[in-house]
Amino acid sequence: MPHYKKLIGKLCYLSPRDPDDFKKLAEWLNDVETSMNMSIRIAPNEIEQKGVVEGWLKAGDHGFAIVDLATDKHIGDCGLHQIDWVNRTAAFGIIIGEKEYWGKGYGTEATRLIMDYGFNILNLESVRLQVKEFNKRGVRAYEKAGFKTIGIQRKETFFGRKALDVVNMDILAEEFESPYVRGVMDKVLNGAV
Ligand SMILES: CC(C)(COP(=O)(O)OP(=O)(O)OC[C@H]1O[C@@H](n2cnc3c(N)ncnc32)[C@H](O)[C@@H]1OP(=O)(O)O)[C@@H](O)C(=O)NCCC(=O)NCCS
């Protein structure tokens, strides 16, 4: 099944998920080196057996496959969760599952693209995230995407017999510069499309 170029960056694009994407997601989430960074640390196969993804969909989350622009390879997944339509807030999560893509700017760009969707299409005002303090790559990627640290929760997560700190970060719509949606909108309003 194809992916669709919904939000387009220079390295990657965000596409609606294809049903096959969930198998990849299960593979990535069962890789401890990857999933130890995440709040979701599921047991083998649980993603399919217990319908984790169906749960996200039922909860009204907005999620995307992250696809490499040059090769159309599916490399990750990201989503806006716990969307509060009254207060216009949401929580953000991301995984670049194909590890050879780590540290090459894909996570930063995918984060900016889904924030563009959240702020300029869903009309959210604020998005928050939690990242484990040891996940320096994640913290740096979120900072580059525009998130600010708002506090540290001490010993908030327990893994490998260790209690570890978690960094809370957020970003506001007014601080965010649209990488894609505003450009499309300007073209349409100027009659160029
Ligand atoms: C976290 C994640 C989304 C980041 O995406 P990415 O594509 O790897 O990150 P980017 O390349 O966009 O940015 C990484 C930045 O961290 C820096 N970095 C990497 N390792 C670092 C370290 N140990 N200390 C400090 N900075 C580090 C990189 O140099 C880069 O910054 P720079 O461009 O200023 O040099 C991705 O690595 C991932 O999915 N990891 C596994 C799952 C995960 O952690 N999910 C998020 C849970 S909150």
Side-chain angles (χ1 to χ4, degrees):
M1 292 270 284
H3 286 110
Y4 302 98
K5 294 188 176 76
K6 178 97 176 173
L7 294 132
I8 309 169
K10 292 186 169 62
L11 296 171
C12 63
Y13 62 92
L14 302 189
S15 166
R17 294 166 175 145
D18 175 88
D20 284 346
D21 292 347
F22 298 129
K23 291 185 186 139
K24 268 279 168 207
L25 196 54
E27 181 190 320
W28 299 333
L29 291 173
N30 283 298
D31 178 330
V32 176
E33 195 177 68
T34 301
S35 65
M36 67 180 286
N37 292 294
M38 312 195 58
S39 54
I40 178 171
R41 283 200 300 267
I42 54 170
N45 298 322
E46 206 171 304
I47 194 159
E48 283 168 328
Q49 287 170 3
K50 291 198 179 159
V52 170
V53 172
E54 283 78 359
W56 294 345
L57 298 177
K58 273 193 202 132
D61 295 355
H62 286 237
F64 293 97
I66 305 170
V67 187
D68 179 23
L69 189 61
T71 61
D72 287 320
K73 183 178 162 110
H74 175 217
I75 61 164
D77 190 88
C78 59
L80 292 167
H81 310 277
Q82 299 162 21
I83 298 176
D84 177 336
W85 296 109
V86 175
N87 294 305
R88 299 187 175 195
T89 61
F92 168 60
I94 183 169
I95 178 172
I96 303 287
E98 298 295 326
K99 289 189 260 185
E100 70 272 22
Y101 285 81
W102 285 1
K104 295 181 177 164
Y106 285 85
T108 302
E109 184 171 81
T111 301
R112 294 195 71 231
L113 289 172
I114 193 169
M115 290 310 123
D116 203 5
Y117 175 78
F119 292 137
N120 291 307
I121 294 181
L122 299 185
N123 297 319
L124 297 175
E125 285 293 340
S126 169
V127 176
R128 66 187 178 278
L129 66 80
Q130 284 198 318
V131 54
K132 296 180 199 320
E133 197 271 337
F134 63 78
N135 187 358
K136 305 291 184 199
R137 186 184 290 113
V139 172
R140 180 74 193 120
Y142 302 139
E143 283 171 351
K144 286 194 297 171
F147 278 83
K148 291 185 167 60
T149 296
I150 52 169
I152 310 288
Q153 275 173 279
R154 294 171 300 159
K155 298 192 174 188
E156 172 64 12
T157 186
F158 199 73
F159 187 70
R161 310 296 312 157
K162 277 190 199 307
L164 301 162
D165 295 349
V166 162
V167 183
N168 286 291
M169 306 180 85
D170 73 6
I171 185 170
L172 304 179
E174 68 209 43
E175 298 167 349
F176 183 73
E177 201 167 312
S178 166
Y180 181 69
V181 175
R182 289 299 292 270
V184 174
M185 192 177 140
D186 288 347
K187 265 203 251 172
V188 172
L189 296 183
N190 292 333
V193 175

